[in-house]
Amino acid sequence: MTITASSCNEGVFRFETNTAQIAEAISAHTVNELGSNVWFHIADYAYGDSVYNRTKKRMQNANSDFTEVGKSESSLGSSNFGSYISEIDSSDADAVIIGMTGGDLVNFVNQADSRGLTDNVALVGPTMGFKSARAGAGSSAVGTYGGVRYDPSVELGDNQQFVDAFENEYDGVPGNFERVGYESIRLMIRGMEKAGSTDPADVRDALEGGTFTTVLGDITLRESDHQATNPTWVAEMTQGDGEMADVNLLGKVDGEDTLPPGSELGCEMN
């Protein structure tokens, strides 16, 4: 998330939801609904650190009983998580926040399921709602929890129009990455239309602080850090009709409530 935080600059806008926003969705639900004793397992790089720092801070604010019962880290690309899973299972953890994505997340969830960890501890992953994660984990994802950046079922903005057009073109429903690509291009076009110019400086000025209707409703590209004020959701992964788990949305955090000030995130606009 550094592109709209410590590495922000006036020429960059981010329509993708960042870690701070998704942390807002999963943190309060975890400590208030799943249990206040939380273990953190993260991949040892910037994303994992960001998940740990943001979710821990949100949990402390959401529940005074929050307790960090443990923290473990694995190298990016690790394939065997058995020792970490055993350590978590023998702890007092009610839930584990999994600060990993891609193959690391899939391997961890599959191994946690096969070793019975999911029977005792709630698994919560900020990216567990991604189609790629659910497809890779298959039935092992059922019963886990995750942050959701986008779901085709949401009735916001012009999402239904987008979903219908996507289904007609590709014979399937869009996921988060398709949503990000679509809206990123569309926002650049809207910036040029609003500016009446293709000059980068004019488009930047037109986008900065602007509010636009999107598939996530009306969002603003904040002046302070150029981050889109996207809403976020927490969801449980439930049994689907096929091999991939479905996403059952449990709660939403509105866009204006998902982000701290840009200065708190380390953004000093050039």
Side-chain angles (χ1 to χ4, degrees), residues 8-217:
C8 69
N9 71 76
E10 61 183 12
V12 173
F13 292 83
R14 180 178 175 134
F15 187 67
E16 172 63 302
T17 303
N18 69 27
T19 306
Q21 291 169 297
I22 209 69
E24 192 65 47
I26 65 172
S27 298
H29 184 86
T30 298
V31 292
N32 292 329
E33 303 297 332
L34 303 179
S36 58
N37 292 334
V38 180
W39 187 289
F40 297 86
H41 182 79
I42 64 172
D44 186 18
Y45 72 115
Y47 172 74
D49 290 337
S50 181
V51 169
Y52 173 70
N53 292 328
R54 301 313 307 181
T55 54
K56 180 178 179 178
K57 184 170 184 178
R58 294 299 196 283
M59 288 177 177
Q60 289 170 329
N61 293 336
N63 190 327
S64 60
D65 291 331
F66 160 72
T67 302
E68 178 184 340
V69 297
K71 178 189 177 189
S72 49
E73 300 181 16
S74 53
S75 300
L76 183 63
S78 295
S79 59
N80 189 338
F81 299 98
S83 61
Y84 305 113
I85 291 168
S86 296
E87 192 176 7
I88 296 166
D89 202 23
S90 62
S91 75
D92 294 327
D94 301 310
V96 54
I97 297 294
I98 311 169
M100 299 187 291
T101 190
D104 287 17
L105 174 63
V106 168
N107 286 333
F108 186 96
V109 170
N110 285 337
Q111 291 173 34
D113 180 44
S114 67
R115 291 170 176 264
L117 179 65
T118 50
D119 295 333
N120 305 317
V121 181
L123 271 58
V124 186
T127 60
M128 198 65 237
F130 282 168
K131 284 197 301 183
S132 56
R134 289 182 287 123
S139 61
S140 294
V142 174
T144 65
Y145 298 83
V148 175
R149 290 158 170 79
Y150 169 77
D151 189 81
S153 69
V154 299
E155 297 179 0
L156 293 171
D158 53 11
N159 181 53
Q160 195 54 57
Q161 223 178 306
F162 169 58
V163 173
D164 290 345
F166 190 95
E167 286 182 316
N168 289 336
E169 183 70 23
Y170 300 106
D171 193 29
V173 295
N176 181 66
F177 296 129
E178 292 87 351
R179 182 271 304 183
V180 173
Y182 172 72
E183 287 292 12
S184 297
I185 297 298
R186 189 162 68 147
L187 281 169
M188 285 193 291
I189 294 170
R190 288 176 169 181
M192 288 185 279
E193 290 175 342
K194 184 178 178 181
S197 168
T198 58
D199 182 272
D202 295 336
V203 176
R204 177 199 64 217
D205 292 344
L207 290 174
E208 189 174 78
T211 297
F212 304 89
T213 298
T214 74
V215 300
L216 295 179

